[in-house]
């Protein structure tokens, strides 16, 4: 700050030094003026000027130091009281800009909340005719169009579900209810939804649930598993998907392994990034790159660790490691 202050006042310093040089030059050129006396005057002037600079630095820098340390949190009450007209101009400008940003931020936040509420309401409204459509499709006995219609219905259903959870993710902490969740019931419900799609692709499931229950939020856990299962079915064909659970130390572990196309090793570290699809399958227009991103966000809130292993062309295995009860209590302070 001292160096910057001297740079800021360089014109004053230059003016003072030029004045002293002029005074010394006059004394040098005019023999009638004692050079010693002029040197003494210059010396005293320099001392006084240095003291003056030090005093002004202490007085002027406190306000700007406070500006540098200000936490930009829209709280202008912690700003140092200005001690000069120019500092008051700066303070007034900051306060006006801050108040403007507060109003704009509040307005944008209200608009976003309104748009979110309208979208959630729209999704719930769409679910009603979508449910009716599903019932109509189920009544179609051995119709050639039934598999195709069921698949398209399922795509719409999953996309709406993903959009619904995407809007709820920012406030997920307010929507959690941790309880002992039965894995078998949850998995059978998800597999039943995907049943027609799996039959169409010749995919079966091999379940081995040694750990039958986990500590989690059933609704959000179902969403996480749904994203993983959807990817497994989407990128597999004519193979079985292995689902197993077991106890590891004090934590329950759930593994979902498919034998589909797999993931390129260079993509493994990016599959949970928002909007990332693939570097090897650019022609896949059906991918949104949001499913695994949202699953990771939800799992972080549930304190579930997701690990993934994959070999291109041989399949992918997702592992969900649930927190032990003692570990979860310690994390959440319950």
């Amino acid at each position: 700050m001292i160096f910057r202050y001297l740079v800021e006042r360089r014109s004053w310093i230059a003016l003072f030094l030029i004045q002293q040089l002029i005074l010394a030059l006059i004394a040098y050129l005019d023999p009638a003026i004692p050079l010693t006396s002029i040197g003494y005057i210059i010396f005293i002037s320099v001392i006084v000027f240095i003291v003056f600079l030090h005093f002004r630095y202490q007085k002027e820098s406190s306000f700007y130091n406070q500006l540098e340390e200000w936490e930009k949190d829209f709280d202008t009450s912690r700003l140092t009281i200005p001690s000069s007209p120019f500092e008051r101009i700066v303070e007034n400008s900051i306060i006006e800009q801050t108040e403007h940003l507060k109003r704009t931020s509040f307005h944008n936040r209200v608009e976003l909340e309104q748009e979110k509420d309208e979208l959630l309401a729209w999704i719930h409204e769409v679910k009603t005719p979508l449910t009716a459509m599903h019932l109509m499709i189920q009544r179609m006995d051995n119709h050639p169009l039934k598999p195709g219609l069921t698949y398209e219905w399922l795509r719409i259903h999953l996309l709406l579900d993903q959009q619904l959870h995407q809007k709820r993710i920012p406030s997920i902490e307010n929507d959690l209810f941790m309880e002992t969740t039965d894995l078998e019931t949850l998995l059978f419900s998800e597999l039943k939804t995907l049943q027609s799609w799996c039959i169409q692709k010749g995919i079966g499931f091999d379940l081995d649930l040694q750990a039958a229950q986990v500590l989690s939020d059933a609704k959000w856990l179902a969403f996480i598993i749904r994203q993983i299962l959807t990817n497994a079915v989407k990128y597999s064909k004519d193979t079985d998907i292995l689902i197993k659970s077991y106890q590891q130390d004090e934590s329950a572990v759930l593994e979902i392994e498919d034998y589909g196309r797999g993931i390129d090793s260079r993509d493994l570290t990016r599959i949970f990034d928002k909007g990332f699809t693939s570097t090897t399958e650019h022609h896949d227009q059906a991918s949104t790159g949001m499913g695994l991103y949202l699953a990771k966000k939800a799992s972080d809130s549930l304190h579930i660790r997701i690990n993934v292993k994959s070999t291109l062309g041989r399949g992918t295995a997702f592992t969900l490691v649930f927190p032990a009860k003692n570990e979860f209590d310690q994390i959440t302070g319950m």
Side-chain angles (χ1 to χ4, degrees):
M1 178 61 78
I2 295 177
F3 176 75
R4 283 182 290 177
Y5 179 78
L6 294 176
V7 171
E8 175 68 22
R9 296 290 181 257
R10 61 185 181 276
S11 58
W12 291 10
I13 297 172
L15 176 63
F16 173 77
L17 293 176
I18 290 172
Q19 288 177 333
Q20 304 311 307
L21 288 174
I22 292 173
L23 189 61
L25 181 61
I26 292 174
Y28 177 75
L29 295 176
D30 189 350
I33 301 176
L35 191 60
T36 304
S37 299
I38 293 300
Y40 181 72
I41 292 173
I42 292 174
F43 175 76
I44 295 298
S45 299
V46 169
I47 297 298
V48 171
F49 186 70
I50 291 174
V51 172
F52 171 77
L53 272 182
H54 177 73
F55 171 76
R56 293 305 304 174
Y57 169 75
Q58 297 294 333
K59 188 174 181 61
E60 296 176 13
S61 63
S62 60
F63 179 77
Y64 297 102
N65 278 329
Q66 183 67 29
L67 284 182
E68 280 195 329
E69 296 171 1
W70 187 37
E71 294 184 358
K72 310 299 187 297
D73 55 358
F74 291 166
D75 184 7
T76 56
S77 63
R78 292 200 300 268
L79 290 176
T80 302
I81 298 174
S83 58
S84 71
F86 284 135
E87 289 180 4
R88 290 191 186 93
I89 292 174
V90 173
E91 183 194 43
N92 290 335
S93 177
I94 290 174
I95 291 175
E96 289 176 4
Q97 291 294 326
T98 302
E99 292 300 320
H100 174 71
L101 287 174
K102 282 182 180 178
R103 291 191 297 268
T104 304
S105 175
F106 177 77
H107 177 71
N108 291 339
R109 188 163 59 250
V110 169
E111 283 193 343
L112 284 174
E113 286 297 322
Q114 288 177 347
E115 290 180 4
K116 174 185 172 182
D117 292 341
E118 290 170 2
L119 181 58
L120 291 177
W122 180 82
I123 291 173
H124 285 293
E125 289 293 329
V126 170
K127 280 189 171 184
T128 302
L130 198 62
T131 302
M133 185 187 301
H134 188 236
L135 293 174
M136 293 169 65
I137 293 172
Q138 294 303 310
R139 294 195 187 101
M140 298 172 64
D141 296 329
N142 300 321
H143 196 285
L145 291 177
K146 185 174 181 178
L149 289 174
T150 302
Y151 171 66
E152 296 302 331
W153 171 87
L154 182 60
R155 286 182 60 191
I156 297 172
H157 170 74
L158 292 175
L159 286 171
L160 284 174
D161 178 74
Q162 191 179 96
Q163 186 65 237
L164 180 65
H165 285 83
Q166 181 179 345
K167 293 302 178 183
R168 287 176 172 172
I169 278 283
S171 56
I172 184 175
E173 287 78 10
N174 302 326
D175 193 38
L176 294 180
F177 179 70
M178 307 307 296
E179 59 182 345
T180 301
T181 303
D182 186 72
L183 272 180
E184 184 176 354
T185 303
L186 189 150
L187 283 167
F188 280 2
S189 175
E190 294 303 319
L191 295 178
K192 184 178 179 180
T193 304
L194 300 173
Q195 182 179 9
S196 58
W197 191 16
C198 294
I199 293 174
Q200 185 180 350
K201 300 193 71 174
I203 294 173
F205 291 91
D206 184 7
L207 273 68
D208 180 17
L209 304 178
Q210 298 178 19
Q213 296 180 328
V214 295
L215 179 65
S216 189
D217 179 277
K219 179 172 61 177
W220 282 100
L221 177 59
F223 173 74
I224 295 170
I225 293 176
R226 191 178 311 138
Q227 304 313 305
I228 298 174
L229 286 175
T230 301
N231 272 11
V233 174
K234 182 178 180 180
Y235 299 119
S236 301
K237 189 175 183 181
D238 299 324
T239 60
D240 283 351
I241 295 174
L242 175 63
I243 303 176
K244 61 181 180 179
S245 65
Y246 53 89
Q247 205 72 24
Q248 188 177 72
D249 298 328
E250 295 184 1
S251 300
V253 178
L254 175 66
E255 289 186 9
I256 301 175
E257 184 176 5
D258 67 73
Y259 301 95
R261 79 180 189 191
I263 304 170
D264 196 315
S265 57
R266 64 184 177 181
D267 292 345
L268 274 177
T269 58
R270 303 175 61 191
I271 61 173
F272 296 113
D273 292 348
K274 186 176 182 178
F276 178 76
T277 53
S278 173
T279 58
T280 57
E281 300 288 340
H282 289 296
H283 61 274
D284 189 1
Q285 300 297 325
S287 297
T288 62
M290 294 299 295
L292 291 180
Y293 164 75
L294 295 173
K296 184 66 169 61
K297 294 274 287 185
S299 66
D300 289 343
S301 297
L302 294 174
H303 304 288
I304 298 173
R305 298 193 304 275
I306 298 185
N307 303 316
V308 56
K309 294 180 181 179
S310 183
T311 303
L312 191 62
R314 298 182 61 181
T316 304
F318 281 87
T319 304
L320 277 63
V321 183
F322 295 86
K325 187 178 188 306
N326 292 338
E327 178 188 354
F328 189 85
D329 291 347
Q330 184 177 5
I331 292 172
T332 59
M334 294 170 60

